[in-house]
Amino acid sequence: MNFSQIIRTLFEIGLAVLVIWSVFHEDIFIAIEERIVSYFKRKRLKVVSGSTYKSYK
């Protein structure tokens, strides 16, 4: 077994554990998903710095 196979096996085991955990803790998993989605939405809709209310008067 070389290094890339070891890393791939560890990743697959971790993924299987995450799937099994998410089946039993679905509410926590959904909350984490919503946080991630809202983070990326906020990042995409970021207000440009330097534009203030006073500059529009």
Side-chain angles (χ1 to χ4, degrees):
M1 244 179 142
N2 59 15
F3 183 71
S4 65
Q5 289 177 332
I6 292 171
I7 296 298
R8 182 177 174 189
T9 303
L10 290 175
F11 180 73
E12 289 174 352
I13 291 171
L15 191 61
V17 168
L18 180 65
V19 167
I20 292 169
W21 178 84
S22 65
V23 167
F24 294 109
H25 301 284
E26 186 176 356
D27 53 340
I28 297 171
F29 188 70
I30 291 171
I32 292 170
E33 283 179 339
E34 288 176 354
R35 269 195 228 156
I36 292 170
V37 169
S38 66
Y39 171 78
F40 284 112
K41 280 185 179 179
R42 271 188 261 119
K43 194 152 181 92
R44 192 181 79 196
L45 299 173
K46 194 173 192 178
V47 177
V48 177
S49 63
S51 63
T52 60
Y53 177 72
K54 293 180 182 178
S55 64
Y56 291 117
K57 284 188 174 180

